[in-house]
Amino acid sequence: MNTHFARDIARTHKADLLRSLRLCTAEGVMAMPIVTMSLPVNVFMTSLVARAFSLPLTTIGLISALPFVGNFLQIFVAAPLSRRRPAKIIAVGAATLHLGAWVVLGVALPFIPTHSPTIASQWLVPWFLITSFLGAISGVAWNAWIQDWVPARIRGKYFGRRNGTLQISTLIFLLVAGWSLAHWNYAIRVFQIIIAGAVLMRIFSLRWLGSIPARLRAHPPSVPLPFQEQLRVVLASRSFIVFIAFGAVWSFAANCFGPFYHVFMFDQLGLGAFDVGVLATLALLSGALSLPAWGHLLDRYGNKSVMTFSLILWQVQNFLWCFLVPENRALLYGMWIWGGATGAGFILGQFTLLLRLIPLKAKNLALGIHLAITSLLAASAPIMGGAVLTWALARWPDGFAVHHVCFAVQPVLALIGGALLLRVEEPRASSLTMVVGAMRNIRTLSGIFGLSFLVNHVFYRSPSARK
């Protein structure tokens, strides 16, 4: 009797987990348009601030910094909330408020004057700060909640596949949005229609998110530690602190001039929103195809080594930005495909390594501290980058030379930061040389470029082969 009852319970738990994973993927697909639009660097937001309202570079840099300011401010709200409400409730509630803010923007857009960048900035800067703050609270709570019910043994493979599916959703949105904006010459009405579509999809996303029947992994209930004790736990986690230091360096490197790559393509290389959307689509598609293989690599060899190798492959090609002119802008297609495929492993590894290093006794505070510290550097970076570009362009007539020099900052700093990443002590991780050796395997390389049927021969053995 007890054996049959236990089997029934196990089957029920397994069914709930499978349904939760499916709903988690589905809600992510529907959430991606509004999540993508909320980022400081994307076709929609760049078109809005650089084309519809023609904001100056310093203001674009400030707007690009606001999501990271929101990430820093969330620590003062998310941590206290986590001691009073379940993580899922916080995630859904903050995401709902975030959705409401986008509705407000969609309604208000026709009333924001396109002929006055100063007045437009007074509208857009406070709005973007509020939405960034709400998005940060929702993101921290979502990460903490996911860790509670997704088993560690499947995280790499599951999130590799989930993120790959989400990349497909994002690339379709970018193509549609980029074509619409370019075809109708960045009309405000088109921006409103895109926002309305993203809002409708997000409504379905929140409905599915709230209905996920996830069961928390079995562990004895515990009373949250006092704040001071949680802080001591976090500070005692040396590898987690090193990972935060690396995250700070990477955040500064990626965001110092990162928001101005799109502006450079618009203003200097003469590309339109659809052209930039195609490039982003190519990067997302190559990333989506490579993510399952990267997930297998992360599970087998550990996060830090795979991340470092991915970072090297990704950032070395970024030096090509220092040589781009209108005559050779066709290089962008290969660059974005390569960057999407190689950067996917680094981005996925960041998430899975963060989950592995978090001290469980203070996970919410640890997530908040990580987000807050890295966001301080990330927030200051585009403000500095925008000020440097404005200052330099006012003194040197060669805009290409100015951008080329500035674009060398990201790959140089990122590669230096890779040394910090290798100092992280990760349980069950392999050395970097082992990962390089595995990557030389032609079957693994084929899997990274989308031939996943070859990857199965590298990472999985039949049950008979295990005996």
Side-chain angles (χ1 to χ4, degrees):
M1 177 72 71
N2 291 336
T3 302
H4 290 299
F5 180 74
R7 289 176 179 172
D8 290 341
I9 292 295
R11 281 194 293 268
T12 301
H13 287 185
K14 183 178 180 179
D16 284 347
L17 176 61
L18 292 175
R19 182 165 182 261
S20 297
L21 294 175
R22 286 193 295 268
L23 284 174
C24 187
T25 300
E27 70 86 14
V29 168
M30 301 298 282
M32 284 314 296
I34 206 165
V35 171
T36 302
M37 288 161 52
S38 300
L39 299 175
V41 183
N42 63 85
V43 171
F44 178 89
M45 192 54 64
T46 304
S47 299
L48 184 68
V49 300
R51 283 291 183 264
F53 295 105
S54 301
L55 302 183
L57 290 176
T58 50
T59 304
I60 293 176
L62 175 60
I63 289 177
S64 300
L66 293 179
F68 306 106
V69 175
N71 289 342
F72 173 73
L73 294 177
Q74 59 77 30
I75 189 66
F76 302 105
V77 175
L81 277 177
S82 67
R83 295 194 293 270
R84 293 176 174 82
R85 293 290 186 273
K88 181 180 179 180
I89 298 300
I90 298 173
V92 174
T96 302
L97 295 176
H98 180 266
L99 176 64
W102 273 99
V103 173
V104 170
L105 178 67
V107 174
L109 271 183
F111 303 100
I112 303 176
T114 56
H115 60 276
S116 176
T118 301
I119 297 177
S121 299
Q122 294 172 352
W123 281 74
L124 293 175
V125 170
W127 174 86
F128 210 69
L129 176 60
I130 292 171
T131 56
S132 300
F133 176 65
L134 294 172
I137 294 176
S138 178
V140 169
W142 187 88
N143 276 314
W145 174 59
I146 281 291
Q147 190 191 21
D148 273 340
W149 63 270
V150 177
R153 68 183 185 277
I154 66 169
R155 283 177 189 159
K157 289 186 285 289
Y158 170 69
F159 285 111
R161 293 168 183 167
R162 179 183 186 271
N163 291 348
T165 305
L166 267 55
Q167 296 274 40
I168 302 298
S169 168
T170 304
L171 70 87
I172 293 174
F173 165 74
L174 290 175
L175 277 179
V176 172
W179 180 86
S180 302
L181 292 169
H183 184 73
W184 280 286
N185 199 26
Y186 310 100
I188 293 298
R189 179 66 65 184
V190 179
F191 285 100
Q192 288 184 293
I193 293 173
I194 294 173
I195 291 174
V199 165
L200 181 61
M201 293 180 68
R202 185 55 166 159
I203 290 173
F204 283 97
S205 168
L206 290 176
R207 178 183 178 185
W208 291 337
L209 180 64
S211 63
I212 290 178
R215 296 175 182 267
L216 302 184
R217 287 178 291 127
H219 51 75
S222 59
V223 178
L225 296 174
F227 177 81
Q228 294 81 358
E229 185 64 27
Q230 290 190 47
L231 186 60
R232 281 194 289 270
V233 170
V234 174
L235 294 177
S237 304
R238 180 183 175 278
S239 288
F240 184 68
I241 297 301
V242 174
F243 183 72
I244 290 177
F246 163 74
V249 173
W250 164 248
S251 296
F252 184 87
N255 292 285
C256 189
F257 296 105
F260 305 102
Y261 282 67
H262 282 65
V263 180
F264 174 75
M265 289 189 288
F266 280 144
D267 295 343
Q268 302 293 328
L269 298 183
L271 299 180
F274 180 68
D275 301 314
V276 177
V278 169
L279 291 173
T281 297
L282 292 174
L284 289 169
L285 182 59
S286 62
L289 294 174
S290 69
L291 270 172
W294 284 118
H296 296 319
L297 282 173
L298 291 166
D299 284 345
R300 183 172 184 179
Y301 294 104
N303 295 279
K304 69 173 185 179
S305 299
V306 175
M307 285 174 61
T308 303
F309 188 70
S310 171
L311 184 67
I312 292 171
L313 293 177
W314 182 17
Q315 293 305 310
V316 166
Q317 68 88 29
N318 272 340
F319 282 109
L320 291 175
W321 282 98
C322 304
F323 304 96
L324 284 175
V325 291
E327 290 74 20
N328 64 6
R329 66 185 187 183
L331 288 173
L332 284 168
Y333 293 98
M335 290 168 59
W336 282 67
I337 292 172
W338 178 259
T342 56
F346 175 80
I347 294 170
L348 177 61
Q350 271 192 306
F351 177 68
T352 53
L353 181 57
L354 175 62
L355 292 183
R356 179 170 289 186
L357 295 177
I358 287 175
L360 295 180
K361 293 182 179 179
K363 62 181 180 181
N364 291 333
L365 179 62
L367 280 169
I369 290 176
H370 172 269
L371 193 55
I373 293 177
T374 55
S375 295
L376 279 178
L377 273 296
S380 63
I383 297 175
M384 293 174 58
V388 169
L389 277 173
T390 301
W391 177 84
L393 290 172
R395 286 163 176 78
W396 285 278
D398 191 345
F400 283 102
V402 170
H403 284 88
H404 290 165
V405 172
C406 291
F407 288 163
V409 171
Q410 174 176 326
V412 170
L413 288 182
L415 293 173
I416 292 173
L420 274 175
L421 180 59
L422 288 175
R423 295 178 65 86
V424 173
E425 296 179 4
E426 180 188 3
R428 301 184 304 278
S430 302
S431 66
L432 176 60
T433 54
M434 289 186 65
V435 179
V436 173
M439 292 293 295
R440 288 174 182 165
N441 188 302
I442 186 62
R443 293 175 294 179
T444 305
L445 283 173
S446 299
I448 286 177
F449 289 106
L451 304 178
S452 56
F453 63 90
L454 292 176
V455 177
N456 293 330
H457 294 284
V458 177
F459 294 101
Y460 294 101
R461 293 180 296 170
S462 65
S464 59
R466 294 175 184 154
K467 294 179 181 179

